[in-house]
Each structure stands twice: as structure tokens, then as C-alpha cells.
Amino acid sequence: MPHFTVVPVEDAAQANYDNLEGINWVDYRDAGQGYPGHQDTVSSYGQGNHTEDSPFLNSADPAKKNDFYDRNLALFEEELDIRPKVSSLLSRLVNYTNITQGAKEHEEEDRAEVLQRKATKFPNMGTLMGVYLPCLQNIFGVILFLRLTWIVGMAGIVQSLLIVLMCCSCTMLTAISMSAIATNGVVPAGGAYFMISRSLGPEFGGAVGLCFYLGTTFAAAMYILGAIEIFLKYLVPQAAIFHATDPHGGDSAVLNNMRVYGSICLSLMAVVVFVGVKYVNKLASLFLACVIISIVSIYAGAIKSASHPPEFPICMLGNRTLVRDLFDVCAKTVVVGNDTVSTQLWRNFCSTGNMSSAQCDDYFSRNNVTAIQGIPGLASGIIRDNMWGDYQQKGEILEKSGLPSADVHGTMESFGMYVSADIATSFTLLVGIFFPSATGIMAGSNRSGDLRDAQKSIPVGTILAIATTSLVYFTSVVLFGACIEGVVLRDKFGDAVSKNLVVGTLSWPSPWVIVIGSFFSTVGAGLQSLTGAPRLLQAIAKDNIIPFLRVFGHGKANGEPTWALLLTGLIAELGILIASLDMVAPILSMFFLMCYLFVNLACAVQTLLRTPNWRPRFKYYHWALSFLGMSMCLALMFISSWYYAIVAMGIAGMIYKYIEYQGAEKEWGDGIRGLSLSAARYSLLRLEAGPPHTKNWRPQLLVLLKLDEDLHVKYPRLLTFASQLKAGKGLTIVGSVVQGNFLNSYGETQAAEQAIKNMMEIERVKGFCQVVVASKVREGIAHLIQSCGLGGMKHNTVVLGWPYGWRQSEDPRAWKTFINTVRCTTAAHLALMVPKNVSFYPSNHERFTDGNIDVWWIVHDGGMLMLLPFLLKQHKVWRKCKMRIFTVAQMEDNSIQMKKDLAMFLYQLRIEAEVEVVEMHDSDISAYTYERTLMMEQRSQMLRQMRLSSAEREREAQLVKDRHSLVCMGSRYSDEEEEVMEPPSEKVHMTWTTEKSEAEWTSTHNAPENFRELISLKPDQSNVRRMHTAVKLNEVIVNRSHDARLVLLNMPGPPRDTEGNENYMEFLEVLTEGLERVLLVRGGGREVITIYS
């Protein structure tokens, strides 16, 4: 919530300018100018923090003023007090350097010390080292080495190319959008989070930033699982702790091994990151070299296979693939000397005993054992067999089409001898597993502070890296399909090739190049993820938009995010416990796709809104490309896993609503605000077409509040009533008037506006506040009634407080302002509501469990009296109250028919209410009514004479002081102009005369005569009739509605003759006497409720 701090200043004009527009001032003045608190730097960080001690020149010092102002610019002295000279501005912009905003960016500490420490680092990295190679390292990963061959085998070359095309197109379109955003200014720490939050606002930024953080954290888990898989499957298989006790229990043993070793590896990596990130950064180039060497060895092996394919025979039983490391010779029998001896393979399928009497597996007996080449080579033509997919169910045995096979199932005991699918596969599953291998495109934008020319390097380096990796993926898919046998491709863990890594069988000079290279590259990628994720969380926490994350903004003395690293390790451990690379990959795919979706959305929104600040140096973008990228991200989310997509969107939605509801307010000039402005402009222009239809009419409120001398809201229950009536729907404008001169009252106006906004927040009123300054309160209220709102979004109803204590006060200004406001609303054809005894109205925390809302429908006002109780009953305070409608029948009316008609009218209005018709018989005017009217007129006459004599005394004092006008010290909310009954100006004498002295003596000594006139006064007959109506109606209303929770009543109009204003107030008092809560309602002259659908 915005807050105000009162700071004493020496120069009032300077203080007024200092708060102008609420913007962050940047001190552009010449470095040589001396002034208190001077810092030679750009002093606004764009975070809404005002950091200058003295942001403007003190014009009170003429010496400094003369030094500062150029003689030729004397005409612009006032402007130069608050704006820099062009020369100063240009010199500051030239000297500005691209300084990285790091961990200390948001700390409450001395900014000069921070900048001095950081200014010594000059960015000098180019496109190759700063963007291209880091992106390559982040994009190439575990999927390329461990899963791409399996994806090609399951999906076939055609569908695999389609998967690669979809994923790489998505990241390329995102890179184009990201390049536009990244070249539209400096991108500090936080990368994608910073770009999205500053483009789409803190709600979107926080939601997507946390999604990006979770994606990076799960990526660390995925890389660790990949490294452990390589370690246990291909490097040191004997290190496994858990072993399968039966052929069908292997999965759980493998998963438990992954969990144990994965947790150990995660702990070691977290310790390395905690001890020093510099070691991780130094090893980054080594890990990148491992990746490049591994990829080069794949291409070398593929080329060599065209002439000399490597020897990796596969043993087939019929058309089924056998696990190669369970036997020694690929044959049923072998000849040793002159004897035919059974092999280990035979003994695995047959019972013990001699060959003639042993019982063998039926499938084994009827099919032959053959050996085929696992890597036929580039020139073998195997590409035709691998062109189309062969998706399999879990447990299905890998079979090669084309080989002869007897149609026999075989026994379950022999199932462990065959290579089988460990999970069910489909196109959508493979998309989710492959997509992480296309992520990592943000590495360049995260390093923008270290780049020599970020606005050139980021687009070029990122797009080149994506083009390179996409080319590698496309060619790898084709090479794998053209060189490797289909059953080997579908063999995820290399069981058919003696537990070798499948992609390693193709590499040259040795499979160990790929195994060791992929192990180190996955370890390095895991370390990079564990390094980046805590910093991203720290950047989000330090922005202070999510309160419960504040603790993660703290760290070690050097800024290392200790607490964030701890949380990252715990979340990564959840991924480790899943223990399956194929299940973790789709999870992080969701989070990355969510992030990329909003990068594209940010670019599209900024482009379509044509924001003045949207000036990217990267020109090759278009909003249509961004929308296409956004659509592809959304499609890929639901293609890969619709339930994960819903969960990820639910998480992002909850974070968004949490930040919106509870998070700290930030103004970052985001695109959503611009979008809101464009939508508001479009809607306002649509509303200008004409007044709303009766079906769409709802009270759009202008609530007129009164403030006391300390600028506190005098009757906050007016706001409570407004919130209960509106329930968050439609327009609510809260207005007030500050009496005085606008030139001198600007600060007071801001304080009054803030006080009202605070009270609006307490009372949960969703709306706008407007405070005007006027010399007379009456004029200010008239201005509010005329000018509040914009276009078609204007108020149609005024809520006005009752002038309490008007009878006891000798000052008539308060009730005259009230009546004038009633007249203004009538002239403007606005509806009027006056809650009387508003302090007795319920708060938002109260609940009425029973009771009635009584409507006294005396005259037709367009249906306001019917509509208001219905709207109130939508609120929880009034929901259980019942509605009763009373109408008054005269002698000539048929009360029975009136009741039927009213019941039918309410039925057609779809309003449930009890109907009563009250008969008011003609009766003689009672002595009480006559006496009440007489007292009213006597009181008015007496007050009029008292005011006249008071005015005469004040006029004498004025004449003595030789003044031409009255000096009246009125209260803040009372008018000055008409309550002093001064004589016409031509009767004002500047000197005393004999006639004047006699007139003064006569007026002073005529009090007894005036008193006798009061005693003999006879009341006006029209006033007697009005009083009679008020008394009779009040008797009936009190009789029927004395226990009602709220009474709604037609408000009589003010008299046409202003002489009867005071009597009008008395009539209203009599009409509502004895009622606890009354709402006087006056229609605006149009129908507001209809029976038609």
C-alpha cells in the first residue's frame, strides 16, 4: 500500500516539485556542481525507490544558482530548477555504462559503495564466448546421449524429425521474441524472470519466474539422474546396491539404486556450489569440451560406418531380441572336438539334464538363433526399415520384422532373456521427453551484463546456437536411423549390445568417448542448474513481490544465496525420488514451456500496444511470430502431458492470484498496464454509443465524503454501505472537497486522497478517489457532480451524508450545502441516496440472521426503491433479511386491487417480497401538527433575525477596520458566501452620518417588537399541509417498520422557492423520526428496472 512520509523542507516550491507525478527522478546534473548529498551517478534503479538526498538544486543559494544557470538561459530559470540542462543530460548518458545489477541490487545500503565496487568490472565478452557457447552447453544435454536413439527407434525417422521440428521451432520463435525484449534495454540478473516481470507486470513475472525456477530445479534433478544412469549402467555396473531377486522385480531395484546414488550426488553437488561458484564456472569450459568431443565422435563414427561398420552383433531368437550379456555364444549348441555341447543360452531356456531329455521353452525349441549386425552402417540401406515408428506397450518384447518366427508365446520364466520395453510409448510422451533437450536458450540473456555489446550479441548468439543445435538434432536423427538396426534403437539401455550405450556403439574411436564425455557433460549441466536456480529464486525474493519468499533473498556475506540453495536442493531431491528420467523430463518441459509461452506473450503485447518505450534494436520480430510461438508452447504442453499442463497452469495461476492479493505493489511500466489502458479506452468508446439499457442499469456511485480538520473520514460507514450495495461490481467514485486555494493546497489534497484510499481499502470499496479544491464547498461538490467519471463511465447515483446537528447549530451553511447538492443532483438527472443515522448501519463483519428491509413506495421513481434492496441482499450482511414493500392508498384508491397489481408487478420483476397496502384516511389537521408547524416557523424567523443582527455587528467591525469585504473564518466544510446577510454594497458607508447612527440605534432597540411578532406569528397553510403529511406518514411508517433492519423511503424534492429550505429540512426530520436506519432515495428521472428479459 502506498504511504506518505512528511519531511520538513526549506523550499515549498522545491517540495512540491519533488513529489510531482510520483516518478523516480534521475540526477543528471554536471559532476562539478557542488551540492549536499551529491553522488556522481545515475541514482534511480527503476525499482520505485527514491535514493537522492537532495534531488534538486536549492534555489535559495544565489551563488550556486548563478554558477548553475547559463546567462543565455535566464528565461528558463524555473524549468532548470527541476529539469537538467541538455548538456548535463547528454554527458550523463554518454558516461553511463552497462553495469550488471547483481545480488546487492535491492539491498538497503549505500548505493555509492556498490557502484564503486562494480564499476571496476568492464564487460568485455563477445558473441562467441558470452552467448553462443553458453547456449550450446545449456541446450545439449543428457537427452541427446541417452534418449535420442530410443526416440528415433520408437517414433521412426519421420516422426522423430517432426518432434525435433516442433520443439526447435518453438524455441526459435521464443528466441526471436526474447531477442526483441532483451535488446529493448538492459536485462539484469534473473534473465527470463526479469524480462517477463518488467513486460507483463509483477503478477505474471512472479508466476512465470517461479515456474522457470522450478523448471531449472527439476532440470538439475534430470541431469543428476542421467549422470547416475550412465554411472550405474555403463561405467560401474557392479556399484549397484540393490539387485533384482526375480526377473520381474528389476525395475524397483534400478529405481532404488537411482534414488540412493542420486541423493548422494545431489548432496555433493550442492556442497560444491555452496563452497564456491567460481569452481563451477572454471569447469564449465571443460564440460563444454566434453560435449563437443562427444558429438564430433558420433559424426566421425557415422562417416566411418559407411565403409567399416563397427562389430556389434545382436543375437536374435526367431524375431525376438535377446539380452546379450546373459550368455556367451549366440547359438543353441557348439561343437567341442567331436561332441555337440549345449551352450549357456540353451541352458537358460531348458531344464537341466542331457540334451535329449531336457524340457525346453516352446518358443526356443521352434525358432532358430541368428546373429545380425547391430550397426549395419551408413551404406546398408537400413534407413528404409527405420523410417516409420513402432510404438510399444510396457513389457512388450522387441521384435525385428522380416525374420522368421513360429507363432508360439513361450513361458514366462524365460521372459527375462528378452529385451523388452520398460514403459509404454506414444508420440505425445516422446515430445515431452525430448523437449528438455531444446531448452537452455536463456543462457545468453542471463549474461547480458558481461557482454561488450549485449544488444548485438544476444540475438546473434542465441539464434545461431539454436540453429546449430537444431542442425545437430536433425542430422543425428537421420544418421541414427541410417546406421543403427531398429531393434538396437528401440533398446533404451543397450541390453542387446552387451550393456553398451547405444549411441556409443556408433562413435569413433571408442564407445568410451561417448560414455565418459556424456557423464561429465551431464554432471556439468547439473552443477550449472544448481548454480542458476538459487540465483533466480533470490532475484524473485529480493523483488519482494511474494512475501513468504523474503527469507530466500538473504545469503552469505558475498551475496551467495544460501537459503535459496537449500530450498533448491530439497525440491531437486523430490525429482531424484521420482528416480525415472522419463518421468522427470515432462515435468520440467511444462515449466519451461510455460516460461517460453509468456516470453512470446510479452513480446506480442508490447508490439501490438506500440508502447513508446518499445524500441528493440533487434528488428526481425513480428507479433504474428510471437503469437505462433505462444500457440506452439501451449500446444506442446497439452501434447506432451495434458494433466501436467493443467497442474503447471494451476500452480502459475495460484501464484498469480497470491501476488495480486497479497504481494507488494510494484510499478514497472509493464505491458499489462498498457493493455489495460487500451482495453479501457476501447470500452469507454463503446460506452459512448448511448446510455445503458434498463437491463444493464446499476447504480454507479459518487460517494460524497466529509473529512474533519485532521483529514480523517468523518462517516466511514458511508463507504461500508457503498461496498455492501456494490459488492465489487460497477463504478464507485469517492469524492471530497478541500476548501481553499489549489495553488496552496496541493499537499493537503494528496494527504486527503491518501486518507480516503486507506479507508476505502479498510472498507473493501473497489473504486476511485477524487478530491477537488474549491474556495467554497458548494462549488466543489457541484464540480464533482458535473465532472467525475470519464465518457460513458460516469456516475448515475450520488450518495450524500445527512447534515447531523443542523437544528442545534446557528450556522446554516451545512444544511444549505446539503439542499444545494440535492438540487444539483436533480438538475443533473442523477439518482440520490441519503443514508440517515449512518453510524447505526452494519459493518461488513456483521450478519443479520433475520429481520426485514422495508420499502415505502410513495411515488414512482423509476424502480430505484425495488432495485436497491435486491442489490443489498446480494451481500452477506443483508442476505437473510426479507423484503417488504409498502405502498400508500388514499380514500379514492382500491387498496385490494392495488395489492394484487403490486404483487403481479413484483412477480414479473422476479423479486421476492411481501406486499402491503397501507390506507391513509383523510383526517383533520391535528393540534400537534399545527403546533409543530408554528414552532418550525418561529424558529426560522428567530434564527433569521439573529443572523441579521450578527451581520450588522460584523459590518460595523468591518467599517472600523476600513475593509471592503468580510473576513470570515469558516470551517473546512461550510460555505461562506450567503450565510452572512450583509446589506447591498451601495449602503456601505465609509464614514458615520446622523442618519446611519439613528438607524443603528433603532435596529438595536427593536428586540421586544421582534419578540411580539414571533408570538403573534401564524403558520403558512402550505407548510401546515406538508407537516400534516410528514406527521401522518411518520406515524404509519413507525407503526409498521419500527423493528425493520432498514427502511427505504422516497425522498421529497426540495421546494422551488429557496425561502423554504429550512422548513424542508424540518419536514425530512419529522418524516424519519423514530426510525433507526433510513435510506432516503430520490430517482434520477429514468426507469432502472424492467419486467422484460
Side-chain angles (χ1 to χ4, degrees):
M1 191 67 204
H3 61 277
F4 287 85
T5 304
V6 179
V7 180
V9 293
E10 297 179 4
D11 192 347
Q14 177 180 336
N16 288 338
Y17 284 129
D18 198 6
N19 291 321
L20 187 63
E21 296 285 336
I23 62 175
N24 294 323
W25 289 94
V26 179
D27 186 4
Y28 291 111
R29 284 168 294 173
D30 291 333
Q33 301 301 328
Y35 59 95
H38 171 69
Q39 295 176 3
D40 186 15
T41 180
V42 177
S43 50
S44 174
Y45 274 69
Q47 303 297 329
N49 297 324
H50 197 82
T51 58
E52 296 90 337
D53 294 328
S54 177
F56 306 108
L57 287 175
N58 188 352
S59 58
D61 189 343
K64 293 180 181 177
K65 190 171 179 179
N66 292 335
D67 288 340
F68 182 75
Y69 292 132
D70 195 310
R71 292 178 183 274
N72 296 326
L73 298 178
L75 184 61
F76 300 95
E77 289 183 357
E78 289 78 7
E79 284 81 1
L80 289 172
D81 272 336
I82 60 170
R83 294 179 176 87
K85 290 192 296 183
V86 174
S87 58
S88 303
L89 172 67
L90 294 177
S91 67
R92 285 302 170 110
L93 292 179
V94 167
N95 293 331
Y96 177 70
T97 56
N98 187 4
I99 297 171
T100 309
Q101 294 177 336
K104 300 291 185 183
E105 176 185 358
H106 305 276
E107 295 279 346
E108 296 295 331
E109 60 181 40
D110 188 7
R111 299 299 178 98
E113 181 184 345
V114 176
L115 290 173
Q116 185 177 0
R117 184 170 64 250
K118 292 185 176 182
T120 57
K121 291 180 63 179
F122 292 99
N124 56 3
M125 297 183 74
T127 303
L128 181 68
M129 296 301 297
V131 180
Y132 181 72
L133 292 179
C135 282
L136 280 186
Q137 183 179 4
N138 279 267
I139 295 172
F140 285 134
V142 65
I143 302 296
L144 170 63
F145 302 116
L146 294 185
R147 293 292 182 269
L148 188 56
T149 54
W150 173 71
I151 290 172
V152 173
M154 290 295 178
I157 295 174
V158 174
Q159 292 188 32
S160 298
L161 290 174
L162 179 60
I163 292 172
V164 174
L165 178 65
M166 289 170 60
C167 296
C168 293
S169 299
C170 177
T171 53
M172 179 62 82
L173 292 171
T174 304
I176 292 172
S177 299
M178 185 201 71
S179 298
I181 297 173
T183 58
N184 193 49
V186 180
V187 180
Y193 159 71
F194 185 92
M195 289 190 290
I196 295 169
S197 61
R198 269 52 176 186
S199 299
L200 294 179
E203 294 87 0
F204 278 112
V208 181
L210 280 183
C211 283
F212 191 50
Y213 163 73
L214 290 173
T216 308
T217 304
F218 275 101
M222 184 188 74
Y223 289 128
I224 292 172
L225 289 173
I228 299 303
E229 183 177 311
I230 295 171
F231 179 76
L232 290 177
K233 291 281 185 182
Y234 311 113
L235 282 175
V236 192
Q238 58 271 24
I241 300 172
F242 302 95
H243 301 280
T245 55
D246 59 90
H248 306 290
D251 287 349
S252 60
V254 170
L255 294 179
N256 288 331
N257 285 321
M258 298 285 280
R259 291 183 182 113
V260 172
Y261 280 100
S263 300
I264 295 172
C265 184
L266 175 64
S267 303
L268 292 174
M269 286 185 177
V271 170
V272 170
V273 172
F274 177 78
V275 169
V277 180
K278 59 182 180 181
Y279 302 114
V280 177
N281 294 331
K282 286 180 180 178
L283 291 172
S285 55
L286 172 64
F287 297 141
L288 178 61
C290 291
V291 174
I292 294 174
I293 292 171
S294 300
I295 293 172
V296 169
S297 72
I298 294 173
Y299 283 101
I303 294 170
K304 181 177 178 293
S305 71
S307 57
H308 297 88
E311 287 294 328
F312 280 100
I314 304 168
C315 195
M316 308 291 296
L317 178 60
N319 63 352
R320 296 181 180 180
T321 311
L322 295 172
V323 178
R324 190 64 183 84
D325 63 334
L326 296 179
F327 53 91
D328 50 359
V329 180
C330 183
K332 292 183 179 181
T333 59
V334 292
V335 178
V336 179
N338 294 323
D339 297 328
T340 302
V341 182
S342 61
T343 61
Q344 187 177 358
L345 177 63
W346 187 90
R347 291 191 292 272
N348 287 337
F349 279 98
C350 300
S351 60
T352 56
N354 56 37
M355 295 179 60
S356 59
S357 62
Q359 294 291 325
C360 292
D361 180 87
D362 200 14
Y363 187 86
F364 179 78
S365 302
R366 297 194 181 188
N367 289 280
N368 295 323
V369 176
T370 56
I372 63 172
Q373 182 66 358
I375 313 293
L378 197 60
S380 63
I382 195 70
I383 190 170
R384 288 189 295 272
D385 297 335
N386 295 330
M387 195 62 71
W388 306 107
D390 185 14
Y391 297 109
Q392 296 184 318
Q393 297 301 314
K394 182 176 181 179
E396 187 175 343
I397 298 172
L398 301 186
E399 298 177 347
K400 176 175 172 57
S401 59
L403 287 181
S405 174
D407 190 14
V408 180
H409 186 271
T411 61
M412 288 301 296
E413 287 77 10
S414 305
F415 182 79
M417 293 296 298
Y418 304 114
V419 181
S420 60
D422 65 328
I423 59 171
T425 53
S426 63
F427 179 81
T428 57
L429 176 76
L430 298 183
V431 170
I433 293 175
F434 177 77
F435 186 79
S437 63
T439 60
I441 62 174
M442 301 289 182
S445 63
N446 292 347
R447 297 165 176 255
S448 63
D450 300 325
L451 300 174
R452 190 182 306 114
D453 186 357
Q455 300 190 352
K456 174 187 175 184
S457 298
I458 288 176
V460 173
T462 305
I463 292 173
L464 276 179
I466 295 175
T468 304
T469 53
S470 300
L471 182 63
V472 169
Y473 288 140
F474 282 120
T475 54
S476 296
V477 167
V478 175
L479 288 177
F480 291 159
C483 296
I484 304 175
E485 174 62 50
V487 289
V488 179
L489 287 173
R490 289 191 290 278
D491 181 9
K492 184 187 292 186
F493 301 114
D495 292 328
V497 285
S498 303
K499 299 289 186 182
N500 277 300
L501 183 62
V502 174
V503 69
T505 60
L506 181 63
S507 65
W508 181 86
S510 167
W512 288 101
V513 175
I514 290 285
V515 173
I516 296 173
S518 61
F519 176 76
F520 280 112
S521 70
T522 49
V523 169
L527 282 172
Q528 292 285 353
S529 297
L530 279 179
T531 304
R535 277 157 182 71
L536 178 58
L537 182 62
Q538 187 181 43
I540 298 171
K542 289 200 171 186
D543 263 343
N544 203 21
I545 58 173
I546 304 177
F548 70 82
L549 290 182
R550 286 174 187 158
V551 65
F552 299 109
H554 305 294
K556 293 194 289 187
N558 62 353
E560 290 297 321
T562 309
W563 292 106
L565 176 62
L566 180 62
L567 180 65
T568 302
L570 292 175
I571 297 174
E573 179 63 22
L574 295 178
I576 297 293
L577 293 178
I578 295 173
S580 172
L581 185 69
D582 304 317
M583 292 182 68
V584 173
I587 295 175
L588 67 100
S589 293
M590 290 305 116
F591 292 124
F592 278 122
L593 281 166
M594 181 82 71
C595 176
Y596 295 167
L597 184 150
F598 282 101
V599 169
N600 284 298
L601 177 63
C603 181
V605 167
Q606 298 275 34
T607 307
L608 288 174
L609 290 179
R610 295 175 182 156
T611 313
N613 190 50
W614 180 245
R615 303 183 300 274
R617 287 192 177 275
F618 179 75
K619 301 298 182 184
Y620 304 102
Y621 68 93
H622 193 270
W623 64 266
L625 291 176
S626 299
F627 268 116
L628 180 60
M630 186 175 66
S631 304
M632 290 191 69
C633 289
L634 193 62
L636 283 172
M637 286 176 69
F638 283 92
I639 285 173
S640 55
S641 177
W642 63 268
Y643 44 89
Y644 278 159
I646 292 174
V647 170
M649 294 172 76
I651 292 173
M654 286 190 291
I655 298 169
Y656 178 95
K657 294 306 292 183
Y658 176 81
I659 297 172
E660 185 182 53
Y661 178 73
Q662 186 129 8
E665 294 183 2
K666 296 284 182 182
E667 175 51 61
W668 287 330
D670 51 87
I672 291 297
R673 188 174 180 85
L675 184 62
S676 302
L677 289 172
S678 296
R681 173 182 169 275
Y682 173 77
S683 302
L684 286 172
L685 290 174
R686 287 286 303 273
L687 289 174
E688 281 286 281
H693 191 274
T694 305
K695 290 187 291 187
N696 297 326
W697 195 95
R698 66 166 60 242
Q700 315 286 14
L701 300 183
L702 169 60
V703 183
L704 296 175
L705 283 187
K706 186 174 183 178
L707 304 181
D708 59 20
E709 293 294 332
D710 296 324
L711 299 179
H712 296 143
V713 177
K714 202 163 186 180
Y715 301 113
R717 285 296 165 86
L718 277 176
L719 291 174
T720 311
F721 170 71
S723 70
Q724 293 169 5
L725 182 66
K726 300 296 291 179
K729 302 293 191 298
L731 174 71
T732 303
I733 303 173
V734 181
S736 189
V737 180
V738 171
Q739 190 172 339
N741 186 347
F742 178 73
L743 296 177
N744 302 324
S745 305
Y746 179 75
E748 193 174 3
T749 306
Q750 296 295 307
E753 191 169 319
Q754 189 60 39
I756 293 174
K757 285 181 178 177
N758 291 339
M759 187 57 66
M760 288 172 69
E761 184 173 348
I762 292 170
E763 298 296 339
R764 297 182 180 178
V765 176
K766 295 182 183 296
F768 308 98
C769 173
Q770 186 162 353
V771 178
V772 299
V773 179
S775 57
K776 300 166 186 175
V777 174
R778 174 187 303 182
E779 292 180 1
I781 292 176
H783 293 330
L784 284 172
I785 290 174
Q786 292 177 71
S787 61
C788 274
L790 180 63
M793 201 67 175
K794 292 180 71 71
H795 57 278
N796 55 30
T797 305
V798 176
V799 179
L800 179 63
W802 179 262
Y804 300 101
W806 68 272
R807 280 174 170 164
Q808 290 76 28
S809 174
E810 294 184 5
D811 188 356
R813 288 175 278 198
W815 59 262
K816 287 203 171 185
T817 300
F818 172 82
I819 296 176
N820 186 71
T821 305
V822 175
R823 286 197 168 96
C824 284
T825 56
T826 305
H829 299 289
L830 301 175
L832 176 67
M833 289 188 286
V834 181
K836 196 163 181 285
N837 303 327
V838 74
S839 56
F840 294 109
Y841 276 55
S843 70
N844 285 324
H845 304 293
E846 295 180 46
R847 302 283 189 282
F848 286 141
T849 56
D850 57 3
N852 300 310
I853 299 176
D854 287 356
V855 176
W856 284 85
W857 193 16
I858 313 299
V859 294
H860 182 54
D861 58 354
M864 278 280 290
L865 284 172
M866 311 293 174
L867 187 61
L868 292 177
F870 171 77
L871 295 175
L872 279 175
K873 277 168 62 65
Q874 308 301 309
H875 197 273
K876 56 191 175 184
V877 172
W878 304 92
R879 187 167 293 144
K880 294 189 178 179
C881 292
K882 295 180 180 177
M883 184 174 166
R884 297 192 302 184
I885 297 183
F886 298 88
T887 189
V888 175
Q890 303 298 331
M891 281 298 294
E892 63 273 14
D893 297 326
N894 184 341
S895 57
I896 298 175
Q897 188 62 39
M898 279 182 67
K899 185 170 183 177
K900 288 182 180 178
D901 294 343
L902 181 56
M904 178 56 67
F905 179 59
L906 290 175
Y907 175 77
Q908 291 174 334
L909 287 176
R910 290 90 62 202
I911 291 177
E912 294 182 7
E914 184 183 330
V915 175
E916 283 196 47
V917 176
V918 178
E919 295 182 349
M920 290 190 65
H921 302 287
D922 286 340
S923 60
D924 294 333
I925 296 173
S926 64
Y928 170 76
T929 301
Y930 191 88
E931 186 69 24
R932 190 78 185 257
T933 312
L934 181 61
M935 288 173 59
M936 174 186 74
E937 294 197 355
Q938 286 177 345
R939 179 181 179 280
S940 299
Q941 184 69 19
M942 187 183 300
L943 288 173
R944 194 175 294 116
Q945 290 177 0
M946 289 172 62
R947 285 196 296 272
L948 185 62
S949 60
S950 173
E952 289 293 334
R953 286 196 302 273
E954 288 189 13
R955 191 176 61 79
E956 289 179 16
Q958 296 271 338
L959 290 170
V960 171
K961 295 177 181 178
D962 195 22
R963 300 266 181 183
H964 293 284
S965 59
L966 293 175
V967 178
C968 178
M969 301 302 291
S971 64
R972 180 178 306 278
Y973 286 93
S974 60
D975 278 350
E976 312 166 303
E977 67 274 26
E978 65 175 20
E979 278 52 70
V980 180
M981 305 294 291
E982 69 171 311
S985 58
E986 61 268 14
K987 293 186 179 180
V988 177
H989 297 278
M990 302 309 294
T991 56
W992 291 100
T993 62
T994 306
E995 295 82 358
K996 179 60 189 167
S997 299
E998 291 175 357
E1000 291 296 326
W1001 186 90
T1002 303
S1003 64
T1004 307
H1005 293 79
N1006 270 350
E1009 291 294 328
N1010 295 337
F1011 182 73
R1012 281 191 288 273
E1013 286 179 14
L1014 288 175
I1015 296 299
S1016 60
L1017 184 68
K1018 292 185 178 181
D1020 183 80
Q1021 287 304 309
S1022 64
N1023 286 341
V1024 173
R1025 289 195 302 274
R1026 290 190 178 93
M1027 182 64 75
H1028 176 69
T1029 304
V1031 170
K1032 294 293 290 182
L1033 264 179
N1034 178 257
E1035 287 177 2
V1036 175
I1037 295 172
V1038 170
N1039 184 38
R1040 300 295 184 94
S1041 302
H1042 62 277
D1043 59 347
R1045 299 296 188 185
L1046 179 65
V1047 176
L1048 284 83
L1049 182 63
N1050 283 117
M1051 182 177 182
R1056 291 185 179 88
D1057 185 8
T1058 56
E1059 292 296 323
N1061 281 350
E1062 193 170 5
N1063 298 338
Y1064 173 68
M1065 295 297 298
E1066 187 69 33
F1067 295 144
L1068 293 180
E1069 285 282 12
V1070 172
L1071 184 61
T1072 58
E1073 216 165 39
L1075 297 172
E1076 186 180 15
R1077 300 183 194 92
V1078 185
L1079 181 63
L1080 296 170
V1081 180
R1082 184 165 170 76
R1086 63 161 293 170
E1087 294 293 328
V1088 301
I1089 196 166
T1090 178
I1091 64 174
Y1092 300 106
S1093 61

